[in-house]
Amino acid sequence: MLTVREAALRHALHYQGVLDRLDTYYLEGGEELGTKLLEADVEWENVRAAQKWAVSIMRIDADAARIVVQYALLAARILDLRATPSERLEWFTAGDQAARAFASEHPRDLLTNIGLAYAAMGDYMAAIPYYEEQLQIARRNHSKITEARALGNLAVAYKNT
């Protein structure tokens, strides 16, 4: 018999797959994108429930922490379409906290997304440290594209402060 944790973990992993599929639809684009993204509306409450469960135990459960990170990464584009900046910030901040606690390598996209969520709320000063950390990681990894994005985001943030 499954424990409550095992059932919740299976639920969360299933909806991680749903998020992955939705993100793929988004990236593929095309005329059918709107129809395919309706699935996000149908599944969204289950996705949110799974994310909320994982966040609630991420500090004591490495599997839940990994799910929180993956949800934040996979849902980023869907959240841009379907969530307020403050809700996006909650997802990305939770992913950032989980990554810092359990990941050997920090996904730099989380830093970008946190900064962009703050910027969307008009709080450019709060965005700057995340862009600066993204820049440091990009330089350490010799990623010129990510470095350029970080510098561009920093320029916009400083211009608007």
Side-chain angles (χ1 to χ4, degrees), residues 5 12 14 17 23 29 33 37 47 52 56 60-61 65 68 81 86 99 110 112 117 121 126 141 153-154 161:
R5 180 202 174 272
H14 169 76
D23 190 51
L33 179 61
L37 288 179
V47 169
K52 186 175 180 179
S56 75
I60 59 170
D61 189 307
V68 170
L81 298 172
S86 61
L110 289 173
T112 304
M121 293 187 295
N141 293 337
N153 288 334
L154 279 166
T161 55

Side-chain angles (χ1 to χ4, degrees), residues 6-80:
E6 291 168 337
L9 182 61
R10 284 186 182 184
H11 178 263
L13 289 171
H14 169 76
Y15 284 99
Q16 181 177 318
V18 169
L19 280 174
D20 188 34
R21 187 170 60 250
L22 291 170
D23 190 51
T24 300
Y25 292 160
Y26 182 94
L27 292 172
E28 289 173 351
E31 293 176 17
E32 301 166 2
L33 179 61
T35 304
K36 289 179 178 179
L37 288 179
L38 286 176
E39 184 179 346
D41 295 333
V42 171
E43 301 286 14
W44 197 246
E45 287 308 312
N46 284 314
V47 169
R48 289 172 93 180
Q51 192 265 357
K52 186 175 180 179
W53 167 80
V55 167
S56 75
I57 64 167
M58 71 181 189
R59 287 176 175 70
I60 59 170
D61 189 307
D63 291 328
R66 281 189 287 279
I67 288 169
V68 170
V69 172
Q70 287 303 305
Y71 269 48
L73 294 170
L74 290 170
R77 288 176 267 275
I78 303 301
L79 287 168
D80 278 344

Side-chain angles (χ1 to χ4, degrees), residues 101-132:
F102 288 98
S104 58
E105 184 177 323
H106 192 284
R108 62 182 177 254
D109 289 345
L110 289 173
L111 300 169
T112 304
N113 290 334
I114 291 171
L116 292 172
Y118 275 122
M121 293 187 295
D123 192 350
Y124 294 96
M125 288 303 294
I128 289 170
Y130 294 97
Y131 297 149
E132 287 175 343

